[in-house]
Every structure is written in structure tokens, then in C-alpha cells.
């Protein structure tokens, strides 16, 4: 069903965002390989059903995780940046 595919895409995006240091591909290549679909097809499908782009969703995940790390785990900005693979 549509929701199952959206959940798979969101799960793969989360895997990428939170494990980026261990993944050598860019997001589009990673999603295409993981979900065995063309990225353009995934992106069109995702944005059509969620109203947001894959990139916007990935950024929102990173922001939420950064807020959690800062507030709940009392991590420093440097630690958060390293954990979420933000570059200077």
C-alpha cells in the first residue's frame, strides 16, 4: 500500500541521516539502492503523498535529533555536529 512505501522511504531516510558516517553514497543513491526504485520516482511519490520533499524530511529529522541531543542528552554543539555529520 501507499503508506507502507512511505514508511519504508522514511525509515531509509532515517537510517541514512543517523548512520551517515558509515554510508559512502549520497542520499539519492542510497535510497534508490535500498528501495530498488529510481530516485526520481521515489521523490515524486514521496512529495506527492507527504507534501514535503525527501531532502526537507531529512533536514527535519536532523533538526529534531539535534534538539533531542542538546536538550535530553546535554551534548555540546560540537558533539551534536559530529554525531549528525554536520560540516563546518
Amino acid at each position: 500500500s501507499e503508506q507502507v512505501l512511505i514508511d519504508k522511504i522514511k525509515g531509509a531516510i532515517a537510517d541514512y541521516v543517523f548512520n551517515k558516517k558509515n554510508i559512502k553514497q549520497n542520499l539519492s543513491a542510497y535510497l534508490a539502492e535500498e528501495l530498488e526504485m529510481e530516485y526520481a520516482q521515489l521523490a515524486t511519490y514521496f512529495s506527492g503523498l507527504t507534501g514535503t520533499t525527501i531532502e526537507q524530511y531529512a533536514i527535519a529529522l536532523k533538526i529534531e535529533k539535534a534538539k533531542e541531543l542538546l536538550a535530553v542528552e546535554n551534548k555540546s554543539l560540537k558533539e551534536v555536529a559530529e554525531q549528525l555529520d554536520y560540516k563546518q
Side-chain angles (χ1 to χ4, degrees), residues 31-81:
L31 292 177
E33 183 178 301
E34 284 294 305
L35 299 167
E36 299 176 342
M37 290 176 70
E38 292 290 324
Y39 179 76
Q41 184 181 5
L42 285 170
T44 300
Y45 192 81
F46 187 85
S47 62
L49 289 175
T50 65
T52 188
T53 67
I54 286 173
E55 290 78 12
Q56 288 169 330
Y57 182 78
I59 290 167
L61 278 182
K62 274 180 117 170
I63 290 169
E64 287 307 309
K65 185 63 176 179
K67 288 182 349 189
E68 176 188 318
L69 292 171
L70 289 167
V72 178
E73 297 185 27
N74 286 323
K75 300 264 185 186
S76 70
L77 284 176
K78 185 176 189 311
E79 289 171 315
V80 170

Side-chain angles (χ1 to χ4, degrees), residues 1 3 6 8 19 27 35 43 54 65 72 83 86:
S1 82
Q3 190 57 49
I6 292 298
K8 283 183 181 179
N19 299 304
L27 178 58
L35 299 167
I54 286 173
K65 185 63 176 179
V72 178
Q83 186 167 338
Y86 278 106

Side-chain angles (χ1 to χ4, degrees), residues 13-21 61-62 65 83-84:
I13 294 168
D15 287 344
Y16 182 86
V17 168
F18 302 136
N19 299 304
K20 190 165 188 257
K21 287 183 178 180
L61 278 182
K62 274 180 117 170
K65 185 63 176 179
Q83 186 167 338
L84 296 177

